[in-house]
Amino acid sequence: MNFYQQIISLPEKPRGFHIITREVLRALPEIGTIRTGMCQVFIQHTSASLTINENADPTVRDDFEMFFNKTVKENDPDYRHDYEGSDDMPAHLKAALLGSSVLIPIHNGQLALGTWQGIYLCEHRNHGGSRSIVITAWGQ
């Protein structure tokens, strides 16, 4: 079994949901050498997250942003952790709801994503800065 790993830095993206599947594949071309295996994508931040969802219609990503903004509101007077602004604690909560990693099977040298699936970077901060992603693939 072989293991491959790469840490990449994604440039700052605006608040919202962004497809990063191509960036993941570009960063770890060794995925193409794995017949059967797994790929984990992990974000090293607590105010952004990762998920897998539709990669075709951009309104899906807009609706994700709308839903999470309605569900986890900013400026809640009960938040105690607000040192970095009104989007600080809501960003942590959104990240906790979505998670910090995704695990994708590799089949015949390709991520075994469904036809309409893509990997999302979920940026929950107004100005989150660059984001570090650890991509690890293993298999044979």
Side-chain angles (χ1 to χ4, degrees), residues 116-137:
W116 306 111
Q117 289 183 318
I119 304 167
Y120 285 17
L121 164 68
C122 314
E123 178 54 69
H124 305 302
R125 297 298 308 267
N126 293 325
H127 304 286
S130 64
R131 298 298 191 173
S132 297
I133 306 287
V134 181
I135 306 158
T136 307

Side-chain angles (χ1 to χ4, degrees), residues 3-9 23-24 26-30 40-42 132-137:
F3 286 84
Y4 305 99
Q5 187 173 76
Q6 189 67 254
I7 299 175
I8 64 171
S9 179
E23 289 93 329
V24 169
R26 261 195 304 268
L28 203 62
E30 293 88 352
Q40 181 191 42
V41 185
F42 175 80
S132 297
I133 306 287
V134 181
I135 306 158
T136 307

Side-chain angles (χ1 to χ4, degrees), residues 7 11-12 19-20 25 27 33 58 61 69 74 81 83 94 106-107 113 117 121 123 125-126 128 133 137 140:
I7 299 175
E12 181 170 3
I19 297 175
I20 61 165
L25 291 170
T33 68
R61 297 188 300 278
N69 288 337
E74 293 184 16
H81 180 77
Y83 308 118
K94 292 171 186 177
I106 299 171
H107 177 73
L113 292 166
Q117 289 183 318
L121 164 68
E123 178 54 69
R125 297 298 308 267
N126 293 325
I133 306 287
Q140 47 191 350

Side-chain angles (χ1 to χ4, degrees), residues 93 102 108 123:
L93 294 170
V102 293
N108 290 332
E123 178 54 69

Side-chain angles (χ1 to χ4, degrees), residues 6-67:
Q6 189 67 254
I7 299 175
I8 64 171
S9 179
L10 297 173
E12 181 170 3
K13 297 191 182 296
R15 183 168 163 168
F17 291 75
H18 309 277
I19 297 175
I20 61 165
T21 312
R22 284 190 194 114
E23 289 93 329
V24 169
L25 291 170
R26 261 195 304 268
L28 203 62
E30 293 88 352
I31 289 171
T33 68
I34 299 173
R35 201 177 98 223
T36 302
M38 299 298 293
C39 178
Q40 181 191 42
V41 185
F42 175 80
I43 189 164
Q44 295 182 306
H45 303 274
T46 60
S47 59
S49 55
L50 299 170
T51 194
I52 294 174
N53 217 288
E54 178 167 335
N55 67 356
D57 184 351
T59 63
V60 171
R61 297 188 300 278
D62 295 339
D63 288 345
F64 260 84
E65 180 67 10
M66 176 274 307
F67 171 82

